[in-house]
Amino acid sequence: MLAQPSVHYGAHAEDKVAELAQLRGVQRVLPIVTSSLAENPIVRASIDRLGAAALPMFRDLKPHTPFDVVLALTAAIERHAPDLLVVFGGGSAIDAAKIAGLSVATGVRDHEALLGLRSIPDALGVSQASPAKRSIPIIAVPTTLSAAEFGIIGGATDTRSGIKHLFKSDTLAPDIIVYDPWLGAGTPLDLWLSTGIRSVDHGVETVLSRDANPFTDALALRGLALLREGLSAAHADPANIEARHRCQLGVWLAGSGIGRVRYGASHGLGHQLGAIAGVPHGMTSCVLLPAVLAFNEPVSHERQAEIAAAFGAAGKSATDAVRHFIASLGLPTQLSELAVDDSALPRVAETGLGNAFVKANLRPIQSAEDIMMILRAAR
């Protein structure tokens, strides 16, 4: 059993962040803020209420968490010596904070040292955790549905090689999570919905994991039902706060498998499709998850029946149920809709073979051609 972050849900960030900082008795707080949120009134109020404890905002964040962002944030943490990090944003921002915190703890200062900190999977797709302990506490205020806030794994992209590497530590996940559905309601709907499918991916690949167990299954299946309800309602009415709240609860439960079970090829190939072709995380799940479900179907009939039922499609194909749900939200379900050049796919397949989650896929993936079969089905 892994330690869980403390989760404050249905909360107003402008009240809760200052309250939590005061309870911890901190004196120097570094706000890490996605640039699009720098002038958001809820974010500004949250930082203003920290008073003199608030340090200058770090906002130089980029999608897919490039190594240079992690190193720049590491340098900022060392320069300002905060006793608390507060990160506002999506998965890339949260992963940057997690990995930079680990970098500070291990004395990482440059590209090669950061590369040496990555987790390398074995033949079974098991990535060993770093023995290092992240020492600076983190409060995460997520504005998307990526669930990075629960991860003892974080991803960062080596732009020199185009490979997204995983970093793992039992202390990597933020200490505290604040779910503010009012702040979430300001997230653009397409980003909200697509990252919601990323969390659908968490739930599905938890159930289809080689490590699936009754504990994670129960939480993941309930999380999928909440995500189905919340995402549909948010799509119908983006201003519906209750819908945003249900989505956040769904992320929490669907993410129950993070760090507990190995995910599969939808996650693993999504890492490489994002790093190589620049496809956002949520969109990678939109196009890859149905194709991976179809690939795994011969070895997972009973598990996939439970997934289909969670989407209100009992007795039907989980592949079709998930694909139809994604399409019902106005999201793409094929690579062709994302203008991904076919010439990038062999590189995705080649680099994907070394990914921990690809190695751990329920139906073994033994060659680049196996991956190309999935990618062709996703086209």
Side-chain angles (χ1 to χ4, degrees):
M1 300 291 286
L2 297 174
Q4 278 286 291
S6 173
V7 181
H8 300 262
Y9 53 95
H12 287 279
E14 60 265 43
D15 299 324
K16 186 57 68 174
V17 169
E19 174 191 327
L20 292 167
Q22 185 176 17
L23 284 172
R24 297 184 74 96
V26 299
Q27 298 181 341
R28 298 175 64 79
V29 182
L30 179 62
I32 302 166
V33 184
T34 300
S35 58
S36 61
L37 293 171
E39 302 305 323
N40 181 283
I42 294 176
V43 174
R44 292 300 323 180
S46 300
I47 295 172
D48 289 346
R49 292 191 188 183
L50 292 170
L55 295 164
M57 181 190 303
F58 181 92
R59 54 188 289 183
D60 298 329
L61 300 160
K62 298 175 185 176
H64 304 294
T65 320
F67 273 24
D68 65 321
V69 168
V70 174
L71 293 171
L73 179 53
T74 300
I77 293 171
E78 290 192 316
R79 184 167 61 253
H80 294 296
D83 44 20
L84 176 67
L85 308 178
V86 179
V87 54
F88 297 86
S92 294
I94 294 170
D95 274 1
K98 295 189 310 188
I99 300 169
L102 192 64
S103 296
V104 169
T106 53
V108 164
R109 302 294 179 271
D110 58 36
H111 182 280
E112 292 306 317
L114 183 57
L115 192 62
L117 192 60
R118 75 194 187 282
S119 182
I120 300 176
D122 62 19
L124 298 177
V126 177
S127 296
Q128 297 302 312
S130 168
K133 305 297 182 184
R134 178 181 55 76
S135 57
I136 304 172
I138 299 175
I139 296 176
V141 189
T143 56
T144 69
L145 302 174
S146 72
E149 58 271 19
F150 292 106
I152 66 168
I153 292 174
T157 301
D158 179 354
T159 52
R160 297 180 186 178
S161 66
I163 294 176
K164 187 164 189 176
H165 294 288
L166 298 181
F167 296 79
K168 184 177 182 180
S169 167
D170 291 342
T171 63
L172 202 62
D175 305 84
I176 300 173
I177 297 164
V178 176
Y179 277 137
D180 182 338
W182 294 273
L183 178 59
T187 299
L189 186 61
D190 59 346
L191 178 59
W192 184 263
L193 297 176
S194 63
T195 55
I197 298 302
R198 184 65 167 177
S199 275
V200 167
D201 206 341
H202 293 324
V204 168
E205 292 215 308
T206 291
V207 176
L208 294 185
S209 174
R210 293 186 182 191
D211 309 313
N213 60 75
F215 175 73
T216 54
D217 279 358
L219 293 172
L221 290 167
R222 177 58 179 150
L224 288 174
L226 283 166
L227 285 164
R228 174 193 167 206
E229 297 164 8
L231 291 170
S232 295
H235 179 248
D237 178 9
N240 184 335
I241 298 300
E242 177 61 24
R244 303 274 182 158
H245 175 59
R246 292 181 79 78
C247 288
Q248 290 174 331
L249 295 181
V251 169
W252 184 5
L253 299 187
S256 62
I258 296 176
R260 292 185 171 88
V261 303
R262 288 168 291 173
Y263 289 144
S266 182
H267 275 77
L269 296 181
H271 289 159
Q272 296 315 115
L273 186 62
I276 292 169
V279 178
H281 285 318
M283 292 299 185
T284 65
S285 293
C286 290
V287 298
L288 290 173
L289 182 57
V292 172
L293 274 165
F295 181 82
N296 283 324
E297 202 278 336
V299 298
S300 56
H301 297 288
E302 293 183 5
R303 300 190 201 188
Q304 295 214 18
E306 292 186 284
I307 293 167
F311 284 93
K316 298 182 180 179
S317 157
T319 300
D320 290 342
V322 170
R323 182 182 287 113
H324 291 160
F325 177 69
I326 295 169
S328 77
L329 301 177
L331 295 170
T333 60
Q334 295 177 301
L335 285 167
S336 59
E337 298 176 72
L338 298 175
V340 174
D341 194 315
D342 284 355
S343 64
L345 300 185
R347 177 64 174 157
V348 172
E350 176 190 345
T351 59
L353 281 174
N355 184 276
F357 295 143
V358 173
K359 288 175 177 285
N361 192 66
L362 187 61
R363 178 182 171 187
I365 291 175
Q366 300 174 329
S367 67
E369 179 53 34
D370 286 343
I371 296 177
M372 286 302 299
M373 183 189 310
I374 295 170
L375 295 175
R376 283 193 289 267
R379 284 162 64 185

